[in-house]
Amino acid sequence: EDIIQSGRKRPAKAAMWFSETADIWGDNDGSFTAGKRTLYSAIIHQGTPLDFVIEGGNLKNYRVLFLADAHVSRRDSEAIAAWVKAGGTLFATAGAGMFDELNQPNTVLRGVLGVSPAGLDAPASSFVGMVKQELPFAAPVDEIAGEPVSTPVYGVRSRVKLAGAKVQLQFKSGSPALTLHTHGRGQAHYAAFLPGLTYFAPGTPKVPVDRGTTAQASAHLIPTRFDARITKLLQFANTTAANPVKCSELLVEANIIDSPKGSVVILSNWSGGPVKNLEVTLPADLTNKKLTTATGTAIQKDGNKVTLNLNIAEALILR
């Protein structure tokens, strides 16, 4: 407790954008809210720690920025553009960055992304508000072409015209599904769909909604099967914004809290069951510190490698 109370989460190298401008224009209405929540989960599942950056925030310490808001102020658009030009990587999802705070065309971010909007499709049959409740029954709004099978997308599909960006993936309907554009020393990805919903689709079974109190109730289901294509798509962030703590199980989230009195590595288990012989690799600055655990569970330590059995959560205390 003495470390937690006086400590702060170690800053990440990747961030997700949040703004009052988006709130005013209702950018998180409809399927976009579920899309943003699931995108957050999908990112941290890849071992990429994620901070939240609010409107007017400083981007200089970040290498990757995820943008899901359709409206971004002119001031912040200029800041994001300068950050990308200096070497940052922007990843925008369906409709993101297309308008400014006055709901006028956002020429700055359209230029960074290298696309311009041609339409935004959000049919009622594909709406997802509550992921476990509605995603299993949502009709795909389109599919990303691929072999041997295509990949369905849900909630929203953005139709764009290329303005310098290159197509990386294409919808079966013919429009770009994923583009990449170079801007200065940086680059910008534009996903014309909500990747988080596609990522979660395999892990949300089509079962009756059940808010019971048993472990078998659908309300207590923890999805553990995810779309492999989206997993691969999001791994780019881990090359430049990787977690300083490495876990042998991808679905174990690790965060570091630092204080003058020591550090705590918090392990959260999202795998749906106990993980035996979890191997945790500590960063160099924590390797030689005295290690204990919050629960008193047995551990084995060999250099910077720590092995333990993880149930739901654990805290590695390093002083």
Side-chain angles (χ1 to χ4, degrees):
E1 288 185 0
D2 61 325
I3 296 175
I4 298 294
Q5 289 175 356
S6 61
R8 296 187 64 182
K9 179 179 177 293
R10 185 171 295 192
K13 296 296 183 182
M16 181 175 284
W17 185 264
F18 284 78
S19 73
E20 185 178 1
T21 300
D23 292 339
I24 290 171
W25 286 106
D27 291 352
N28 293 313
D29 294 345
S31 298
F32 289 102
T33 301
K36 202 168 186 177
R37 292 198 309 267
T38 50
L39 178 61
Y40 169 83
S41 297
I43 294 164
I44 64 173
H45 285 173
Q46 311 317 309
T48 305
L50 194 64
D51 286 350
F52 296 145
V53 175
I54 62 173
E55 202 166 41
N58 195 330
L59 297 173
K60 69 176 184 178
N61 293 325
Y62 296 104
R63 297 178 182 176
V64 180
L65 178 66
F66 292 90
L67 176 66
D69 297 347
H71 294 80
V72 180
S73 71
R74 297 174 186 176
R75 177 198 63 184
D76 288 301
S77 297
E78 294 285 357
I80 293 172
W83 172 81
V84 175
K85 190 174 183 179
T89 298
L90 177 66
F91 187 96
T93 57
M98 293 294 105
F99 299 94
D100 65 15
E101 72 271 35
L102 301 177
N103 201 34
Q104 297 300 304
N106 192 327
T107 55
V108 174
L109 288 184
R110 292 184 188 189
V112 172
L113 293 166
V115 298
S116 61
L120 194 68
D121 304 314
S125 61
S126 197
F127 168 78
V128 179
M130 302 179 72
V131 175
K132 290 187 290 184
Q133 177 173 312
E134 290 161 336
L135 180 56
F137 300 93
V141 66
D142 206 334
E143 295 181 1
I144 302 172
E147 297 293 341
V149 295
S150 57
T151 306
V153 300
Y154 303 91
V156 175
R157 176 191 61 191
S158 172
R159 288 176 282 115
V160 296
K161 297 178 181 178
L162 299 179
K166 295 182 179 179
V167 176
Q168 307 293 299
L169 296 172
Q170 194 165 23
F171 288 127
K172 291 183 73 175
S173 61
S175 63
L178 179 70
T179 64
L180 179 63
H181 186 235
T182 299
H183 182 72
R185 293 191 287 115
Q187 58 184 6
H189 305 257
Y190 182 80
F193 60 104
L194 302 179
L197 298 184
T198 295
Y199 177 77
F200 265 80
T204 53
K206 189 177 286 188
V207 296
V209 177
D210 178 4
R211 291 182 170 82
T213 58
T214 66
Q216 291 73 36
S218 64
H220 298 287
L221 169 71
I222 298 177
T224 57
R225 294 176 58 244
F226 303 102
D227 186 90
R229 195 171 193 177
I230 303 302
T231 296
K232 185 177 180 180
L233 186 154
L234 293 174
Q235 284 175 350
F236 78 92
N238 216 11
T239 62
T240 58
N243 199 330
V245 179
K246 309 294 183 187
C247 295
S248 57
E249 166 59 58
L250 273 179
L251 295 182
V252 173
E253 179 187 0
N255 287 292
I256 303 174
I257 294 179
D258 296 310
S259 88
K261 299 183 178 181
S263 299
V264 174
V265 177
I266 298 176
L267 303 173
S268 303
N269 181 12
W270 299 103
S271 71
V275 179
K276 292 186 177 181
N277 297 318
L278 173 70
E279 188 175 276
V280 180
T281 303
L282 299 174
D285 65 302
L286 300 182
T287 297
N288 296 322
K289 293 191 175 184
K290 181 181 178 182
L291 172 63
T292 57
T293 62
T295 65
T297 189
I299 58 172
Q300 295 179 351
K301 190 173 185 296
D302 182 10
N304 65 341
K305 307 280 187 186
V306 178
T307 304
L308 71 157
N309 294 330
L310 179 65
N311 189 9
I312 298 172
E314 184 60 270
L316 306 182
I317 305 166
L318 299 116
R319 299 182 185 274

